[in-house]
Amino acid sequence: MVVASPNSILGEKIIPIDLPMIDLSSEKSIVMKLIVKACEEYGFFNVINHGIPHDIITKMEEVGFDFFAKPMEQKKLVAFDKPFGYGCKNIGFNGDMGEVEYLLLNANVPSIPNDTSYFSSIVSTYTEAVKRLACEILELMAEGLGVPNKSIFSTFITQLDNDSLLRFNHYPPKDCKDRDNSNSYNVGFGEHSDPQILTILRSNDVAGLQISLQHGVWNPVTPDPFAFCVNVGDLLEVMTNGRFMSVRHRAVTNSYKSRMSVAYFGAPPLDACIVAPSVMVTPNRPSLLYKPFTWAEYKKVTYSLRLGDNRIDIFKNC
Ligand code: GA4
């Protein structure tokens, strides 16, 4: 494992953290409780014994690295309707930059034009597998929260017109001397929360992910290439009436080795109405914290803002 440099940006505290490691092959009633606790306390957790064969993961990593190794002119040809396709340094539409190159795909059609279809077949197999894992985790969450319909969250990402994404992020090693004097320092992908329901992240054995459980404090997370790192997105925070936390995180680069992460972002159809079920209104949370909205409305606001802007508060009930 390669440890990233401290990457401390003025005034920040860096405190490494061990995320909860949840063994999905343990007894279901225990797993449900551990997942709920992790989502309340960290918004992030790792899963092992997740049932996804390592072979599927290794091949996905290979095709990812092969893609990023292509000449820039060839990668730039991979462009579809915005925001999909290949991108380098520019994040979103409002001027955010990072030391990253990426490939953003629709998780329902994870292919790139003019490919031999090998890429598509490997990436489709991987995406199907992580989607199944996401459904399993969302069902365990619903059961753990005591929601009567255990499919209440998972059904969003299984609908045919779900808006889920698959994103390959490649962070090439960056020597301090090479750095320009922009404000990006060694930030690969700046601070943000994920807008969707649930994210399932896999990264190679190179450190880079940091989460922020407290303003001004960054907690580097140790990568485990055999585990998946799962995190709560904004929509799940809304649907749990604030019980689960959509935690801000970022990726920093290092000067030693390429880091590649692949994130599956489970999202509902555009017209899905996002609201907490009535069981999430409890004596501790006696009213709905957020106004009901559609994913299309949330997504529009998301893309109108900067990466690090807070969007969930815009939908808070006064
Ligand atoms: C963060 C999570 C996902 O990577 C992403 C990102 C999206 C993009 O890169 O196009 C956004 C960002 C992400 C949130 C704010 C907006 C939209 C860049 C940006 C500045 C694909 C997503 O869904 O939201």
Side-chain angles (χ1 to χ4, degrees), residues 3 19 33 71 97 108 112 118 125 141 149 163 175 201 219 224 256 268 291 295:
V3 181
L19 288 181
K33 287 194 188 116
M97 306 277 285
N108 300 312
I112 49 176
Y118 182 68
T125 307
M141 287 174 171
N149 170 10
D163 195 33
D175 198 309
L201 182 88
N219 309 111
D224 179 339
Y256 326 100
K291 302 180 183 103
W295 168 233

Side-chain angles (χ1 to χ4, degrees), residues 111-247:
S111 58
I112 49 176
N114 306 324
D115 185 70
T116 53
S117 86
Y118 182 68
F119 177 93
S120 316
S121 79
I122 298 294
V123 178
S124 300
T125 307
Y126 176 82
T127 310
E128 268 313 304
V130 282
K131 178 181 175 178
R132 270 197 302 277
L133 177 62
C135 286
E136 183 188 336
I137 294 172
L138 287 170
E139 288 178 9
L140 288 163
M141 287 174 171
E143 284 190 89
L145 287 166
V147 181
N149 170 10
K150 75 166 185 174
S151 313
I152 192 155
F153 306 132
S154 61
T155 184
F156 283 120
I157 65 169
T158 54
Q159 285 175 43
L160 276 184
D161 52 351
N162 75 79
D163 195 33
S164 305
L165 307 171
L166 189 77
R167 178 179 202 129
F168 288 76
N169 280 331
H170 178 225
Y171 305 95
K174 187 110 179 103
D175 198 309
C176 301
K177 288 182 244 106
D178 295 347
R179 269 178 218 131
D180 51 30
N181 49 11
S182 69
N183 292 326
S184 64
Y185 292 80
N186 38 5
V187 172
F189 204 106
E191 165 175 8
H192 66 285
S193 65
D194 290 343
Q196 294 84 358
I197 301 176
L198 194 74
T199 306
I200 311 268
L201 182 88
R202 195 270 168 188
S203 53
N204 65 347
D205 63 346
V206 180
L209 175 65
Q210 302 186 336
I211 73 173
S212 179
L213 293 169
Q214 213 189 312
H215 184 70
V217 180
W218 284 98
N219 309 111
V221 168
T222 309
D224 179 339
F226 291 92
F228 283 98
C229 182
V230 181
N231 69 278
V232 171
D234 296 347
L235 299 189
L236 194 55
E237 175 165 333
V238 172
M239 292 192 287
T240 56
N241 207 19
R243 193 160 154 192
F244 286 3
M245 296 194 293
S246 174
V247 167

Side-chain angles (χ1 to χ4, degrees), residues 83 91-92 96 104 165 167 192 194-196 265 302-303 307 311:
I91 299 170
D96 288 290
L104 185 59
L165 307 171
R167 178 179 202 129
H192 66 285
D194 290 343
Q196 294 84 358
F265 299 100
T302 296
Y303 273 97
L307 180 62
R311 52 196 101 90

